[in-house]
Amino acid sequence: MKRWHIKQIIGILLSLLVFAIYYSPVVQDIIKFPSELEMSEGQYQIIPFRLPMEVKIQADDKNVLKINGQSLEEAIIEQKVDSPLIIQPQQQGKAALQFRLFGIIPIKDMSVRVVSPVKVLPGGQAIGVTLYTEGALVVGVSEFRGEDGLIHHPANDSGLMPGDIIEKANDMIIKDADHLAEIVNSINGSPVKLDILRNDKHISLSIKPVKDMEEHKYKLGIWVRDSTAGVGTMTFYEPNNRIYGALEHPITDMDTGTLLSIKNGEIVHSEVIAVKEGEKGKPGELQGVFLNDEKRIGNIEANTEYGIFGHIYADSMVTNRLYKEPIPVALQSEVKEGPASILATVDDQGVKAYDVRIIRVNRQSRPNGKGLVVEITDPTLLKLTGGIVQGMSGSPIIQNGKLVGAVTHVFINDPKRGYGVFAKWMLEEIGIETDDEVVSPYKEAVGM
């Protein structure tokens, strides 16, 4: 009986010891290390160990990595106390690492993928954006007095809502707001069938137009918009495919917040003519003018959560006096808290580099626009703008000679700070694997 108690006590003590070791800071530091590590040739990663560890390695090829300066000749490496593990990528490929404490207790599984770095030309240029939507976007519903003297609200009665995109009317594809008005007035008050897109779902409804008392035209009781325009910043240009990325967040309708679908659009050179300085609670903005048609840069083919993308008409349309040659796109593992710079145009002097500090890096396994938190530290930029202002969305963030991401949003209560998105997600949005919402009505909403 005593012997049984002794074994039980020893078992409990061993369990407590394992528990204490497993949840100790030295082990938790390893556990918190990314399970998926993407690295490029020439990079290295150091993992400190303060307990004896066994590292089991499986790789596509023994030349994919070097561990502690040695090729992967051995499948198992005994790692001593206070001796860091140094991972050095050598060529493209994959490897799997398994860490076992004392060679017994499994602590961490890690996959390493070695990729060739993608290179792009960083931007920073101020651009004007003109975008025409598919169909007509409903930005508001209203009531009006009909020729019968009564108040009518046909849109509200039919269930039409702000944010709906009218794609067809009586099976005819809507070209723009004027086209929708023509169809409504051509059927002399008969019900019209509308095919609309609402929250990514296609639905149909019927609505009966009513003739307005003042204008003597048939109306649906809606305000619609079919285009928008604004000023933002170009982020990068990938010369091999002649693809650009800009803004780093979607263009949405200012009234409804709806992400605008694209029929066609262009980006053009823009000139910054004034800056409204940002302050706590009141974001500032760059005020710019579009230059003439000869300054057209490229088309707009996609409006996504991570900005707008398209093709540049000619290499000569994209120049940056600060960077004559493309630079690598940083992998997440290369981005560190600390000094960096952004490229932006905030006056008539063109693209300039301004000092910032990356104060937080949120490692991500899936796309998100809040991977970085940056703080403006450059006294010149702070004097000009007060921090991050609308129109600077898309400003590329450079660290250690690599494009790490782009500015997305300003903190309303602290304009010196804002979010940034990893460059990785921007490039993957357009099919290149690595590893501003400053819009105002281009045309006033049309009532009908």
Side-chain angles (χ1 to χ4, degrees):
M1 191 70 174
K2 289 182 179 179
R3 205 176 280 178
W4 183 84
H5 279 299
I6 292 172
K7 288 182 178 180
Q8 189 179 45
I9 291 170
I10 291 173
I12 292 172
L13 290 174
L14 286 174
S15 298
L16 290 173
L17 179 62
V18 171
F19 183 86
I21 292 173
Y22 188 85
Y23 285 98
S24 67
V26 293
V27 173
Q28 286 299 306
D29 284 346
I30 299 172
I31 292 173
K32 291 176 182 178
F33 208 81
S35 297
E36 298 179 2
L37 192 60
E38 197 170 50
M39 306 179 72
S40 59
E41 300 162 33
Q43 188 187 1
Y44 67 91
Q45 184 70 58
I46 298 176
I47 304 177
F49 291 110
R50 283 176 281 175
L51 289 172
M53 195 76 62
E54 178 186 275
V55 185
K56 184 178 180 181
I57 305 166
Q58 291 181 316
D60 295 343
D61 187 294
K62 66 180 182 180
N63 296 315
V64 170
L65 299 174
K66 280 187 177 181
I67 301 293
N68 297 337
Q70 303 295 319
S71 297
L72 302 181
E73 301 293 346
E74 299 293 332
I76 297 177
I77 294 176
E78 299 289 343
Q79 197 66 21
K80 298 178 180 179
V81 179
D82 290 329
S83 178
L85 185 78
I86 304 174
I87 303 173
Q88 297 170 285
Q90 299 298 304
Q91 65 180 39
Q92 293 186 60
K94 296 179 181 179
L97 280 63
Q98 185 182 74
F99 301 97
R100 290 180 177 270
L101 185 62
F102 306 119
I104 301 171
I105 305 171
I107 295 296
K108 181 82 175 178
D109 288 337
M110 178 189 295
S111 64
V112 179
R113 186 161 73 103
V114 182
V115 298
S116 293
V118 174
K119 292 187 176 183
V120 298
L121 279 169
Q125 302 91 337
I127 57 171
V129 178
T130 60
L131 185 149
Y132 295 87
T133 66
E134 294 279 3
L137 173 68
V138 179
V139 299
V141 297
S142 62
E143 59 183 32
F144 58 93
R145 192 174 297 279
E147 287 189 330
D148 57 7
L150 301 177
I151 298 297
H152 295 269
H153 26 72
N156 193 57
D157 292 341
S158 69
L160 203 57
M161 300 169 58
D164 289 346
I165 299 173
I166 302 174
E167 298 180 315
K168 294 181 180 180
N170 285 347
D171 297 323
M172 288 183 280
I173 296 174
I174 299 302
K175 299 175 183 177
D176 52 35
D178 291 337
H179 184 216
L180 176 61
E182 290 175 10
I183 294 174
V184 169
N185 276 278
S186 68
I187 55 178
N188 296 319
S190 298
V192 57
K193 174 194 170 190
L194 299 180
D195 293 324
I196 66 173
L197 180 65
R198 177 184 296 168
N199 298 327
D200 295 325
K201 293 182 179 180
H202 292 274
I203 62 176
S204 296
L205 51 83
S206 179
I207 181 170
K208 183 174 173 53
V210 176
K211 185 171 282 191
D212 178 72
M213 173 181 281
E214 294 182 1
E215 298 183 30
H216 306 291
K217 292 181 179 180
Y218 284 100
K219 290 187 174 183
L220 303 179
I222 56 175
W223 291 90
V224 297
R225 186 179 290 124
D226 56 22
S227 58
T228 193
V231 175
T233 301
M234 180 174 288
T235 305
F236 68 84
Y237 171 52
E238 200 279 297
N240 290 334
N241 296 288
R242 201 172 278 176
I243 296 175
Y244 76 88
L247 303 191
E248 307 331 309
H249 58 67
I251 297 178
T252 60
D253 180 72
M254 64 178 299
D255 292 312
T256 65
T258 304
L259 189 146
L260 299 177
S261 60
I262 294 177
K263 179 169 65 177
N264 57 64
E266 286 186 310
I267 59 172
V268 300
H269 284 288
S270 177
E271 206 170 81
V272 176
I273 58 172
V275 177
K276 179 183 176 183
E277 189 174 335
E279 56 185 76
K280 185 176 180 179
K282 294 181 180 180
E285 67 174 317
L286 300 179
Q287 297 174 350
V289 294
F290 295 7
L291 302 183
N292 58 42
D293 287 346
E294 294 179 0
K295 296 294 185 178
R296 292 180 300 163
I297 301 173
N299 65 2
I300 301 174
E301 297 175 10
N303 178 30
T304 78
E305 292 295 329
Y306 304 101
I308 59 171
F309 302 90
H311 283 83
I312 297 298
Y313 294 140
D315 289 343
S316 60
M317 301 305 297
V318 184
T319 58
N320 187 326
R321 63 185 180 185
L322 302 181
Y323 290 88
K324 303 298 183 183
E325 299 295 332
I327 63 174
V329 174
L331 304 175
Q332 283 194 64
S333 57
E334 297 177 284
V335 185
K336 310 295 182 185
E337 295 178 358
S341 63
I342 64 170
L343 304 183
T345 302
V346 297
D347 54 26
D348 59 1
Q349 300 301 306
V351 180
K352 291 182 181 178
Y354 298 99
D355 294 333
V356 302
R357 186 171 187 83
I358 298 174
I359 59 177
R360 190 164 72 234
V361 180
N362 301 317
R363 308 294 178 191
Q364 299 171 333
S365 59
R366 61 185 63 185
N368 185 288
K370 298 180 179 179
L372 305 169
V373 176
V374 297
E375 180 177 35
I376 305 296
T377 58
D378 195 293
T380 301
L381 185 59
L382 289 172
K383 184 177 180 180
L384 286 169
T385 65
I388 299 170
V389 298
Q390 293 180 341
M392 286 172 60
S393 297
S395 295
I397 305 169
I398 312 292
Q399 187 180 61
N400 298 325
K402 296 184 178 184
L403 175 69
V404 303
V407 174
T408 58
H409 295 85
V410 62
F411 290 2
I412 298 298
N413 292 321
D414 185 0
K416 293 181 182 179
R417 297 186 177 190
Y419 285 117
V421 61
F422 285 115
K424 168 187 174 71
W425 304 134
M426 296 148 47
L427 288 165
E428 289 188 2
E429 192 73 20
I430 54 175
I432 299 176
E433 192 159 325
T434 64
D435 28 297
D436 151 13
E437 187 176 22
V438 187
V439 294
S440 57
Y442 178 70
K443 187 166 66 176
E444 291 298 322
V446 178
M448 62 180 64

